[in-house]
Amino acid sequence: MKFLMLLTSLLFSSLGFAENTVYDESRDRHIPIEISHPTSKEQCGKERKCRVAFLSAGYGVSHTKYTFLSKQLNQLGYMVVAIGHELESDPPLSVSGDLYETRSENWSRGASTLDFVKHNLEPTYPNYNFNDLLLIGHSNGGDISSWLANEGKDYIEIVITIDHRRVPLPRNKDIGVLSIRGSDYPADDGVLPSQQENEKYGICVKKIPKSRHNDMTDYGPAWLKDEINSAVDSYVKGLGCEKL
């Protein structure tokens, strides 16, 4: 078993991914993370720092199962930190009652985890810019990302959600927002902006026809992953909502 674990670790390292945990002493919490570096990481330096993205998985999906997104962001110059939010000791995600109320503990905890990882890793990676973060998350990971962005942190530059459904997108002119939508589940009322809010805050909403919520991971079809990556690529490059 130890040999198999070593082999798995070596395989991930050879692919440019490094698995690790960071320890939040204040919450006695060992947080799983996976770090992948920009394709041209040798260009990252203290004078010209490279960008950083925090990737949050959907509930019940491993944070290591979004490599299609990590690789795309690496090519765009980002160091990607994929973060595991749910531990075995955590209560299960609520499935009853007013879900916005009953799941808020999960989202608040996840937001605290993102904030901790930011401050924990920043001193270790002086060649990377942790003060203009890109937060990207699928489903519940998108809810967590939106929750943190709504807390008014000044170190968030962009939020990209992939078919999240519960937490309202940030309405903030200082934060760029893209929400990629599937076709099988609607978002709750108030999560997505009105047309007036779209124009006021510059929020982009991209719906992918015939796409399924649960397919928006490494396990999904190639065409869907390509569509998601294309939207992320266009948005990060600043091509505008109409080009997505």
Side-chain angles (χ1 to χ4, degrees), residues 50-121:
C50 287
R51 296 176 289 183
V52 179
F54 283 1
L55 193 161
S56 297
Y59 187 77
V61 183
S62 170
H63 62 293
T64 66
K65 298 305 180 184
Y66 294 86
T67 59
F68 78 100
L69 279 171
S70 294
K71 291 177 181 177
Q72 174 74 7
L73 288 166
N74 292 157
Q75 291 174 7
L76 290 166
Y78 284 88
M79 179 174 81
V80 179
V81 184
I83 300 167
H85 286 284
E86 279 75 39
L87 306 182
E88 290 184 2
S89 57
D90 293 336
L93 193 67
S94 172
V95 294
S96 62
D98 181 334
L99 294 182
Y100 190 85
E101 292 183 2
T102 60
R103 292 186 178 182
S104 61
E105 181 276 334
N106 177 285
W107 302 326
S108 178
R109 170 165 33 89
S112 295
T113 293
L114 292 177
D115 186 69
F116 171 80
V117 171
K118 186 263 188 198
H119 290 97
N120 179 269
L121 294 184

Side-chain angles (χ1 to χ4, degrees), residues 7-163:
L7 234 105
T8 302
S9 177
L10 288 173
L11 176 60
F12 269 90
S13 295
S14 68
L15 293 174
F17 295 90
E19 290 187 279
N20 201 352
T21 60
V22 290
Y23 179 59
D24 183 351
E25 184 176 7
S26 67
R27 298 186 295 164
D28 189 23
R29 191 171 186 84
H30 292 274
I31 302 163
I33 62 172
E34 178 184 84
I35 297 176
S36 59
H37 292 274
T39 307
S40 55
K41 65 179 180 180
E42 65 278 357
Q43 297 180 8
C44 306
K46 292 182 180 179
E47 298 302 318
R48 187 177 180 181
K49 297 184 179 185
C50 287
R51 296 176 289 183
V52 179
F54 283 1
L55 193 161
S56 297
Y59 187 77
V61 183
S62 170
H63 62 293
T64 66
K65 298 305 180 184
Y66 294 86
T67 59
F68 78 100
L69 279 171
S70 294
K71 291 177 181 177
Q72 174 74 7
L73 288 166
N74 292 157
Q75 291 174 7
L76 290 166
Y78 284 88
M79 179 174 81
V80 179
V81 184
I83 300 167
H85 286 284
E86 279 75 39
L87 306 182
E88 290 184 2
S89 57
D90 293 336
L93 193 67
S94 172
V95 294
S96 62
D98 181 334
L99 294 182
Y100 190 85
E101 292 183 2
T102 60
R103 292 186 178 182
S104 61
E105 181 276 334
N106 177 285
W107 302 326
S108 178
R109 170 165 33 89
S112 295
T113 293
L114 292 177
D115 186 69
F116 171 80
V117 171
K118 186 263 188 198
H119 290 97
N120 179 269
L121 294 184
E122 192 169 14
T124 308
Y125 294 93
N127 293 344
Y128 293 89
N129 180 10
F130 285 81
N131 290 318
D132 294 294
L133 287 179
L134 185 159
L135 305 182
I136 184 168
H138 170 227
S139 191
N140 196 63
D143 288 318
I144 290 170
S145 300
S146 293
W147 189 278
L148 180 63
N150 287 328
E151 288 185 349
K153 305 295 184 183
D154 62 2
Y155 54 74
I156 300 170
E157 180 183 30
I158 296 173
V159 172
I160 300 177
T161 72
I162 301 174
D163 215 36

